[in-house]
Amino acid sequence: MKIFAVGMNYLQHNKELDGTLYKPDAPVIFTKADSALLKDHKPFFIPDWSQQVDYETELVVRICRLGKSIPERFAHRYYDAVTVGIDFTARDLQRDARTKGLPWEICKGFDGSAVIGQWMGIEKFRDIQALHFHLDINSKTVQEGCSSDMLYTVDELVSYISRFFTLKTGDLIYTGTPVGVGPVQIDDHLEGWLEDYKVLEFNCK
């Protein structure tokens, strides 16, 4: 199982990070280790080696068949479920890595950094590019997004990633975060919503 993630896929988040609105020339793809996956409401343990760990709420899709070099027009055949996930980011380490042009694996792919919610079949929804999602922390909404605002659509991402990596059943794609990221603290209670369905719930320790 491979975990792919997409950086800078929402305009306002790009401004939030870099102070300007821009669209990358191509999708920004990075990976997370399989040990990053955190599911079944298990708690997230904030690492002691970072001074700022941020939540990034994202729409996540699940690959359901083997595919390589998938044409965009057929990409919808290669995923069958969607949920909300959290791409936890050690922001202080990421700032340092970006400044020095270093890889993101440590700040993005550490243990427990890919929280995943309950899967929902895509047949429940009219259009995967019109899904609203949000994150509540301690019963207060802190981040909201809609997949219609993605710079690169789900089908574009599936097609692009498959040019470089063979996609296999069970692979995950975290499709990018909208504006509104922020730090988590010990004892925070997080709840992720996909439309009117609560699909994610866990605590920080």
Side-chain angles (χ1 to χ4, degrees), residues 114-125:
V115 189
I116 198 73
Q118 175 186 344
W119 292 107
M120 303 194 70
I122 58 172
E123 69 277 359
K124 291 182 178 291
F125 306 104

Side-chain angles (χ1 to χ4, degrees), residues 5 13 19 44 57 59 74 79-80 86 89 115 119 128 162 164 184:
H13 174 61
F44 171 69
T57 313
L59 197 68
F74 297 135
Y79 53 87
D80 65 348
I86 305 293
T89 303
V115 189
W119 292 107
I128 198 170
S162 73
F164 308 97
V184 290

